[in-house]
Amino acid sequence: MKEQPKKQQEDLLAQIRSQYEPELGLEGMSAAKMKDGWLLSRDPESEAGYALWEVHKDPERVRLALAWQEQVKAKGCAEVLTIRKTSQGESFIRREEGVFYLTEWVAGTPPEMDKRETLPAVARGLAALYKHNYLPVPGGQLSGQQLPGEPAPEELSLDEQAGLWLKGRQEKLTELLKPFHFWRENGATNDFERLYVENFPDLYARGQEALEKIVLAGADWGNMPVGFLLANLAAENFWQTREGIVILRTTDWQLGPLISSLALLLKMYLPLQQWNREVARETIRHYRACLPLRPSEKQYLLADLAFPSRFWLYTRQYCAGQEKAPVLAEKLKNYLYELTWQDQCLTDLEQWLWEEEEAEQEKEGREKL
Amino acid sequence: MMRGLERLEAGPEKLLCPEKHSFPWQVLAAEGESWLILRWKEKVADRPIRQLKQVVLEDFCGELTAEKESAQLFCGQIRLKVDYEENGPDQLTFSAEQAWREELMVEERSAVEKGEENSLLAQLWRRQAEVTEKSLFPSLLLNGNELPKDSFLPLGEKDTEEKKEATGAAGAKERTKGEETVGTEEGAEVGKTTGAEKETGAEKTKGARTWKVQAPWRCWVQECAGRIKPVCLKIHGAQVGLYTLLLEVVIKLGEDKEESSDRPPKPQAEPGAELPSAFRLTKEPGKLWTSVRENKLLLRMEDDAPAEVLGVAVERAFPCFSYDTQEQKLVWEYLRRLSVIYVSAREGGARFGIASHLEKEKALLENGAEALLPVALAAEREKGELTPVYEQTFLYSEKERFCLAMELEHESEERSAPGAWGKDAGGEELSKREAPPRCKPCARWLKKANGSREKQRMTVITIKV
């Protein structure tokens, strides 16, 4: 958020407040600054009130995101905040300073992602958001979204865009070949390069195998629900309430297979649990309780989890000179250690997803009968 | 007759470029001494290595096996052992604090700036490790004096010396310890590295492993002056990855200093007698020219920083003679390669390296203003010295002695060894003999030395006119 002088901020707030219905009582509320906006409340002690969000993105993207949020809210999803429209019936206000929109606020606390029970709760919240999600985007076309690959997304259907997302991964993997051949030919000069050359064959094979599985799993995109994905899975975008997890903002989004969001969530936060298989199972269970997984999605999930994405990231940071070699060598070593734990967890998950889950389903079926 | 020499090309700073480390050996040959770097790298572990415990030189021997003119071939064997420990499955702890942020960065970058990423990876920005940069992984660098005493012995003397009790040296203790664990090593093929072997003894630490390397080696020493003795100078063992170990050994084949010191000192030579015997071609004054040139070069090592310089070698190639009519001097042009063998200050990878500087040199030689091609020419380098000036920069000083003969005394004399510059014979002699074997273009012969082991560094070069 751009730093503005206090006086300017107050004027801006006053102008924005004036665009909403007086019944909301915004005029009489005090404003507390948050990272991405303001918290408006009558009593600073109480958390009841509204949140005024400030976004610096393409307004068209914001419009689509808010339309999506309103749509899922209307279908009964309690995991997103209710959007309040302006007196003119607009979902957001467009100004020079950015795009602003108002939502109701709920009492709660930031979620503690290192706690065992948080991750399953967040997964459930995501599933609830995606439950009503895989519908065609209004108008069937998007603008301002640049997914990996060419041509521009406006010319492509949703299914094709999801395919481009896969292509992007393949390109990532292919990019890694060049540094490997270079360092192998010219000799590695530091720990990062040495670790890279030593572990590249295994990691490349791992990535290639993952992509092959993803292709097999998603060969028929009709079996793979695709749609809006919440791009910002950082803890700061979630809010722990008494009822469960609430997703604060949907304005960071992209398109792709819905299951990739669960995979990303696990890759981000399961390391905090040392890739604990029980936590992984519990997280998938919570997600599945709200949004059942198809066989192709299970396949996809396992493959996506195994894809060595951070290996690509470190290589890119190294080649771009964004990070020093000793730091990246330490990170790569750390990642390689983590992969040994991840492997154990994935082996367990694979067995569980394909065998035990089927048994459970059979059991459930029998009980129903 | 001594005349001064002019150095025509002397740049302010010469770049020494490190040569690529080659496996399993790399040789640097100089006059009278050679350095042999033996190097092995192997992915030995199944699990990430936790600790590098010790490197033991179990066996080292070498002997003279062939002699050709003034060159000697040495062959030998070396056996090394590295003790290390692997991590247990539960010992691989990792930090997960940044995982969420980095995974998010990957996803964010999937959606944007793709074109930029491609170009960044295509550029492959290459970053050299800084000298002060500490490696993530452990390494062990052993000097000669830390190695077992008997590792300095030639093959013939080894059997008798092994019976003697090793005293004092830490290396001897290591060796004894090593022998306890050898067991499975017997019968290992020469030249093969045996894989990591599990130590099963109850006293062994959990995860303890051993990597053994046994290999033959061979190396030529050119222009041998005295008795050559192979010495294992240094050993370096390092972890160069999670599962990979590197072993390096530097063997020096040089004059046996102990033997040299035992020999009685040479009597003071007469002024004329200090010339190499190969140059005693004519007794006529004015027909033999000798000159000393002093070189001082500022050398800067590129892409590496030496912690210790082990030796310097100079090689000359592609000589070309012409005559400068204005100066009335013989012009000798050649390619000169100055090589330095050193121990790198950078930890983490291979530490024994060779860096070289190659340039074209030109020397103007006094030859009594005769516009004639000399019948013999040789150059000898007196011991060069490398003095550190500042980081990665050295001052190299040496004396080069050039000897030039304008006439031969005994034209019918012997043919010489291949590979050296120079040699033989005027047209008169050729016509008397049977047709000699066809030579390669620009082939040269070296006049046979009086005795290969005798100190004789000068080379006779005669040019076929």
Side-chain angles (χ1 to χ4, degrees):
Chain A
M1 180 175 294
K2 289 174 186 172
E3 285 297 321
Q4 295 167 332
K6 202 176 177 184
K7 180 76 174 69
Q8 270 187 349
Q9 281 188 10
E10 284 172 1
D11 290 347
L12 178 67
L13 264 178
Q15 287 171 22
I16 291 169
R17 287 181 200 202
S18 66
Q19 296 201 30
Y20 286 90
E21 295 289 347
E23 290 81 51
L24 294 178
L26 297 181
E27 298 294 339
M29 289 183 176
S30 61
K33 193 84 181 73
M34 296 190 299
K35 193 188 169 194
D36 301 326
W38 290 269
L39 195 60
L40 307 171
S41 59
R42 283 189 195 287
D43 177 8
E45 299 284 315
S46 80
E47 288 188 355
Y50 298 96
L52 181 64
W53 302 100
E54 184 180 349
V55 188
H56 298 278
K57 286 191 184 300
D58 177 10
E60 184 60 17
R61 282 184 64 84
V62 179
R63 185 185 68 75
L64 284 168
L66 296 182
W68 168 40
Q69 191 169 333
E70 283 178 328
Q71 190 181 23
V72 294
K73 190 71 184 175
K75 291 197 174 182
C77 175
E79 281 77 10
V80 290
L81 297 168
T82 308
I83 296 169
R84 289 292 186 165
K85 293 196 173 179
T86 63
S87 311
Q88 287 77 37
E90 295 289 336
S91 301
F92 62 92
I93 300 163
R94 195 171 168 177
R95 290 181 60 91
E96 271 183 25
E97 294 87 348
V99 177
F100 298 87
Y101 68 97
L102 189 74
T103 63
E104 289 184 1
W105 186 246
V106 287
T109 54
E112 293 173 69
M113 300 306 289
D114 53 349
K115 284 193 174 174
R116 275 180 79 118
E117 61 273 15
T118 309
L119 193 53
V122 173
R124 193 180 188 94
L126 270 184
L129 175 67
Y130 295 156
K131 193 174 179 180
H132 309 289
N133 185 35
Y134 42 93
L135 297 169
V137 178
Q141 301 238 323
L142 297 169
S143 64
Q145 169 74 347
Q146 183 64 53
L147 287 173
E150 299 291 336
E154 284 84 352
E155 301 161 21
L156 298 166
S157 69
L158 197 61
D159 284 0
E160 284 170 325
Q161 289 196 41
L164 287 178
W165 176 89
L166 179 64
K167 189 183 166 200
R169 297 227 156 180
Q170 179 63 68
E171 282 176 358
K172 272 197 183 85
L173 207 55
T174 310
E175 282 167 15
L176 296 174
L177 279 166
K178 195 165 184 175
F180 172 67
H181 290 302
F182 183 80
W183 290 324
R184 197 178 57 172
E185 286 302 311
N186 297 287
T189 58
N190 55 43
D191 282 342
F192 178 79
E193 292 177 7
R194 278 186 278 275
L195 273 175
Y196 188 95
V197 172
E198 183 193 43
N199 294 284
F200 174 83
D202 290 343
L203 290 170
Y204 183 79
R206 184 190 182 96
Q208 203 61 49
E209 192 184 333
L211 286 180
E212 282 166 16
K213 283 183 179 172
I214 289 173
V215 170
L216 288 172
D220 179 5
W221 288 102
N223 284 331
M224 184 73 74
V226 290
F228 279 109
L229 300 177
L230 197 63
N232 185 4
L233 297 185
E236 63 187 21
N237 199 31
F238 299 102
W239 197 243
Q240 180 77 58
T241 66
R242 279 179 203 164
E243 289 74 30
I245 289 289
V246 167
I247 296 153
L248 296 181
R249 310 176 67 178
T250 56
T251 45
D252 283 337
W253 59 270
Q254 58 185 19
L255 295 177
L258 300 182
I259 190 64
S260 66
S261 215
L262 177 63
L264 178 59
L265 186 75
L266 290 170
K267 280 197 281 187
M268 285 171 71
Y269 298 111
L270 212 46
L272 292 170
Q273 308 294 334
Q274 301 287 304
W275 284 90
N276 183 296
R277 57 191 74 180
E278 283 308 318
V279 177
R281 284 186 188 192
E282 198 59 23
T283 306
I284 294 170
R285 266 194 212 111
H286 273 68
Y287 184 91
R288 204 180 53 188
C290 198
L291 191 64
L293 292 181
R294 301 177 187 194
S296 59
E297 286 184 300
K298 290 176 194 170
Q299 186 90 351
Y300 187 102
L301 176 67
L302 291 167
D304 198 4
L305 285 173
F307 188 81
S309 46
R310 272 190 272 159
F311 182 54
W312 170 84
L313 178 73
Y314 299 145
T315 310
R316 183 192 181 278
Q317 288 178 332
Y318 179 81
C319 291
Q322 291 171 347
E323 197 77 83
K324 288 188 172 178
V327 176
L328 287 171
E330 187 65 58
K331 281 185 173 184
L332 183 53
K333 182 185 164 194
N334 188 62
Y335 182 52
L336 292 165
Y337 278 18
E338 186 188 321
L339 287 181
T340 59
W341 292 89
Q342 192 198 59
D343 282 344
Q344 292 172 23
C345 180
L346 291 186
T347 308
D348 176 76
L349 276 186
E350 189 169 15
Q351 194 181 358
W352 175 69
L353 279 172
W354 295 114
E355 293 173 9
E356 292 186 22
E357 196 201 43
E358 280 173 17
E360 278 175 24
Q361 281 174 350
E362 273 180 30
K363 193 180 170 186
E364 280 172 17
R366 269 189 238 115
E367 282 171 2
K368 278 181 187 173
L369 282 170
Chain B
M1 183 175 291
M2 302 291 283
R3 298 285 168 96
L5 277 178
E6 296 169 38
R7 173 136 200 186
L8 297 185
E9 290 178 21
E13 200 173 69
K14 311 285 181 189
L15 279 184
L16 282 170
C17 302
E19 290 175 13
K20 190 180 170 186
H21 298 129
S22 62
F23 294 78
W25 45 260
Q26 203 169 353
V27 176
L28 178 64
E31 289 165 356
E33 53 189 3
S34 291
W35 287 269
L36 174 66
I37 301 175
L38 300 174
R39 205 177 271 128
W40 303 274
K41 188 166 76 173
E42 202 163 298
K43 206 167 176 177
V44 292
D46 301 323
R47 294 203 188 99
I49 296 166
R50 185 177 65 221
Q51 193 189 354
L52 192 60
K53 290 176 77 179
Q54 64 172 357
V55 180
V56 182
L57 177 67
E58 289 192 331
D59 191 20
F60 174 75
C61 54
E63 63 177 358
L64 177 67
T65 52
E67 205 167 351
K68 197 170 187 183
E69 303 300 340
S70 58
Q72 295 180 0
L73 176 68
F74 283 83
C75 296
Q77 273 191 43
I78 189 163
R79 198 167 71 219
L80 293 144
K81 186 182 84 161
V82 185
D83 291 330
Y84 63 95
E85 279 178 21
E86 283 182 10
N87 272 300
D90 300 327
Q91 289 169 321
L92 300 173
T93 53
F94 66 94
S95 159
E97 286 167 18
Q98 294 298 316
W100 70 270
R101 195 187 303 276
E102 289 169 352
E103 289 292 349
L104 207 55
M105 282 167 79
V106 173
E107 291 306 310
E108 282 167 2
R109 283 171 184 167
S110 295
V112 288
E113 44 176 286
K114 183 188 147 286
E116 186 194 340
E117 279 164 13
N118 273 345
S119 63
L120 281 171
L121 278 182
Q123 281 171 14
L124 267 182
W125 184 76
R126 191 173 169 82
R127 191 185 168 283
Q128 285 290 331
E130 289 165 17
V131 181
T132 50
E133 219 168 85
K134 287 284 169 197
S135 174
L136 280 178
F137 304 112
S139 62
L140 293 167
L141 180 65
L142 303 176
N143 289 314
N145 55 6
E146 294 169 297
L147 299 173
K149 195 182 171 190
D150 57 359
S151 67
F152 299 95
L153 296 174
L155 197 63
E157 295 170 34
K158 194 153 182 64
D159 297 337
T160 51
E161 287 294 328
E162 267 188 351
K163 290 169 190 168
K164 294 178 187 173
E165 192 179 335
T167 52
K173 284 180 187 171
E174 285 179 349
R175 181 181 161 75
T176 313
K177 203 173 173 183
E179 282 174 346
E180 286 172 6
T181 59
V182 166
T184 52
E185 173 58 23
E186 285 179 18
E189 283 182 77
V190 172
K192 302 254 176 172
T193 60
T194 58
E197 290 159 13
K198 199 172 181 178
E199 303 287 352
T200 51
E203 75 282 1
K204 300 294 172 194
T205 321
K206 194 184 172 187
R209 301 282 187 276
T210 302
W211 177 41
K212 288 171 182 173
V213 172
Q214 183 177 359
W217 60 265
R218 58 171 62 161
C219 188
W220 280 98
V221 186
Q222 304 291 338
E223 308 291 329
C224 299
R227 184 172 182 260
I228 301 295
K229 181 180 174 183
V231 174
C232 184
L233 269 189
K234 281 178 189 290
I235 296 178
H236 175 230
Q239 186 185 342
V240 288
L242 291 186
Y243 314 92
T244 311
L245 289 179
L246 170 81
L247 254 181
E248 289 181 292
V249 180
V250 178
I251 297 168
K252 183 182 178 182
L253 295 106
E255 195 179 345
D256 188 350
K257 283 178 184 169
E258 283 174 20
E259 190 181 89
S260 306
S261 59
D262 294 343
R263 271 187 267 166
K266 283 181 183 176
Q268 191 66 36
E270 292 171 24
E274 72 185 23
L275 295 174
S277 58
F279 270 89
R280 290 181 197 139
L281 300 169
T282 174
K283 293 185 177 79
E284 290 179 46
K287 298 295 177 188
L288 182 63
W289 304 79
T290 309
S291 195
V292 176
R293 177 169 84 170
E294 198 171 328
N295 294 328
K296 283 195 174 172
L297 303 171
L298 205 55
L299 300 170
R300 189 166 67 82
M301 194 166 288
E302 209 176 36
D303 299 338
D304 205 349
E308 184 185 349
V309 174
L310 301 175
V312 182
V314 172
E315 288 173 281
R316 295 179 189 81
F318 306 116
C320 183
F321 301 97
S322 59
Y323 192 75
D324 188 329
T325 47
Q326 268 194 332
E327 296 280 333
Q328 294 191 327
K329 285 174 183 171
L330 183 71
V331 182
W332 186 29
E333 285 180 278
Y334 52 91
L335 273 182
R336 181 182 135 114
R337 189 171 74 166
L338 175 72
S339 304
V340 173
I341 181 166
Y342 64 98
V343 181
S344 174
R346 280 203 185 98
E347 292 179 8
R351 292 194 64 182
F352 303 145
I354 296 170
S356 303
H357 171 75
L358 182 72
E359 70 173 345
K360 192 176 177 184
E361 283 219 340
K362 191 190 255 187
L364 288 184
L365 306 172
E366 295 275 2
N367 66 340
E370 279 186 275
L372 278 174
L373 192 65
V375 293
L377 175 62
E380 183 192 41
R381 180 178 68 96
E382 289 179 15
K383 285 285 180 188
E385 271 187 26
L386 210 59
T387 320
V389 180
Y390 48 87
E391 193 186 329
Q392 290 176 268
T393 307
F394 297 86
L395 179 69
Y396 175 65
S397 52
E398 62 167 12
K399 282 183 180 174
E400 270 183 315
R401 189 150 67 144
F402 296 91
C403 293
L404 186 68
M406 295 308 293
E407 280 182 21
L408 286 172
E409 190 180 27
H410 307 292
E411 289 185 1
S412 60
E413 277 219 356
E414 48 296 85
R415 289 194 179 277
S416 55
W421 301 352
K423 181 18 204 262
D424 186 311
E428 191 184 336
E429 169 137 343
L430 282 174
S431 64
K432 286 176 189 171
R433 293 185 195 149
E434 286 180 21
R438 186 180 168 85
C439 304
K440 289 176 186 173
C442 304
R444 293 163 287 260
W445 296 267
L446 176 71
K447 189 167 182 176
K448 189 179 270 181
N450 290 344
S452 59
R453 290 204 173 188
E454 188 182 320
K455 185 173 176 87
Q456 181 190 328
R457 297 194 175 191
M458 304 305 286
T459 306
V460 174
I461 301 165
T462 58
I463 310 297
K464 190 187 289 181
V465 180

